[in-house]
Amino acid sequence: MKRSLLVLAWLCLFSGKSMAQNVSSIDLTKVYQAIEDKDSPFYYPPLLQRYLANDTMLTLFDYHHLYYGFTKQPHYKPIAGPGELAALQLIEQGKLEEARQLLLTEYQKAPFSLSILFRLGSLADMQEKSAEARLWLLKFDGLLRTIIDSGDGRSEETAWVVISAQDEVPVMGILGLEAVEQGLVKSKYDVQTLTTPNNLESDKLYFNLEVPINHLSNHYKKEQTAADKPDRLKRVRKSKAIGSNQ
C-alpha cells in the first residue's frame, strides 16, 4: 500500500516542481551545505564511515545529518527492494543466518531504513548475539529520535519528516500506534487516522513525504526524458532526410 501511495503521488505532481530545500522544520539547505563542507564535522564521507563502523559516540546532530543528508547521495532510493520480505519468509522457515545475510545486503543499499535496522537487531537477539543486537538498535534509536525531533506529528505544519514512507511503520509500532485509515494530502502529507485512545493523544498522525515524493517524481521525469530521446532523434533524422530530397 505504501508503494502504491508513493507512485500515485509522484505521478500527480506538477510537472515543473523541484525539490524544496526547506521541508517542515528541516532546513535541507543547511544540511546539504554541512555534509559537503570538508571542514565541517558533518562532512558526509567520514560521517557515513563512522556510522557504518558502528561508532557508538554519534550524536543526535550526527544522525540528523546522516539521515536527511542521505537524500543527497546518488544511491538514495525511497522505496526498498523485495529483500526484506524475502528475509521475513526465511525467518519463518527457521533459516536465520540466511535471513541475516539477506538483510545485511539490504542494509548496504538502505543503511538508514528503520525497518531493516530493527529486523537486524531483532534477528541478532534471536541468535543470542546480544552485543550485535545492541549496535543495531542503537542506530535504530538514533534515527527514531531524529524523526521524532523533526516535529510532533500532530499537524501538516509539524509533521514528522521521513525520507521513506516505509519508515512510518516502525515509528508507529514503537509508539504503539495503529491506523484504521490513511490518505495522502496535498501530494506530500501521509495522514494516518489512528485508533483511540493512544499514546499520542490524537486521532491523526502526520508524516511529511515531500522529500521521497519529489525524488521519485524527478527520477520519473528523467526516465521519461531518456525514453523520448530516441523518438526525437528519429524525427530529426526523418526531417533532415525529407529536406535533402526536396
Side-chain angles (χ1 to χ4, degrees):
M1 181 167 63
K2 291 291 184 182
R3 185 184 180 94
S4 299
L5 179 65
L6 277 175
V7 171
L8 175 64
W10 55 257
L11 284 175
C12 294
L13 289 177
F14 295 108
S15 60
K17 194 173 182 179
S18 59
M19 180 178 287
Q21 295 300 294
N22 289 279
V23 178
S24 190
S25 66
I26 307 302
D27 190 335
L28 288 178
T29 299
K30 287 186 177 180
V31 170
Y32 293 158
Q33 287 175 345
I35 65 171
E36 293 174 351
D37 182 358
K38 292 184 178 180
D39 296 324
S40 166
F42 306 114
Y43 182 51
Y44 211 77
L47 187 60
L48 179 60
Q49 286 304 312
R50 288 178 59 197
Y51 174 82
L52 296 176
N54 301 323
D55 188 339
T56 60
M57 299 303 291
L58 291 170
T59 67
L60 186 58
F61 292 109
D62 293 327
Y63 276 105
H64 175 89
H65 287 82
L66 282 164
Y67 185 67
Y68 295 114
F70 189 61
T71 62
K72 190 71 169 178
Q73 309 310 304
H75 45 289
Y76 162 61
K77 292 183 179 179
I79 299 178
E84 185 179 351
L85 179 59
L88 289 178
Q89 294 172 343
L90 289 171
I91 293 174
E92 292 176 356
Q93 298 168 15
K95 301 177 181 179
L96 301 187
E97 187 55 32
E98 289 183 41
R100 177 177 177 272
Q101 292 302 321
L102 185 53
L103 285 172
L104 286 173
T105 299
E106 293 301 307
Y107 167 69
Q108 292 174 357
K109 301 174 185 176
F112 303 105
S113 166
L114 271 72
S115 180
I116 291 174
L117 290 171
F118 186 80
R119 296 196 190 284
L120 280 167
S122 299
L123 186 55
D125 186 61
M126 292 172 63
Q127 294 180 300
E128 298 184 349
K129 300 177 180 178
S130 57
E132 180 180 328
R134 282 195 295 272
L135 289 173
W136 290 121
L137 296 179
L138 181 64
K139 293 182 179 184
F140 176 88
D141 181 70
L143 296 173
L144 176 66
R145 291 174 183 273
T146 295
I147 293 172
I148 292 178
D149 193 52
S150 67
D152 61 21
R154 296 173 183 271
S155 68
E156 294 178 3
E157 294 75 16
T158 60
W160 282 333
V161 182
V162 292
I163 65 173
S164 170
Q166 290 161 315
D167 286 341
E168 296 180 25
V169 177
V171 171
M172 293 178 63
I174 289 294
L175 296 176
L177 303 174
E178 294 184 19
V180 295
E181 188 180 1
Q182 75 175 129
L184 193 68
V185 176
K186 298 179 181 178
S187 296
K188 62 180 178 180
Y189 299 110
D190 191 7
V191 183
Q192 304 276 356
T193 301
L194 305 174
T195 58
T196 55
N198 55 61
N199 295 329
L200 195 64
E201 298 182 349
S202 174
D203 61 343
K204 293 186 184 299
L205 175 62
Y206 294 79
F207 287 96
N208 188 310
L209 295 176
E210 188 172 352
V211 173
I213 286 176
N214 280 339
H215 178 88
L216 289 169
S217 175
N218 291 334
H219 180 72
Y220 174 75
K221 291 172 190 172
K222 289 178 181 178
E223 285 189 338
Q224 287 297 104
T225 300
D228 289 343
K229 281 184 179 180
D231 291 335
R232 289 202 301 269
L233 184 59
K234 288 180 182 179
R235 289 196 296 269
V236 170
R237 288 176 176 173
K238 183 177 181 180
S239 176
K240 289 183 177 179
I242 294 174
S244 63
N245 292 329
Q246 291 179 347

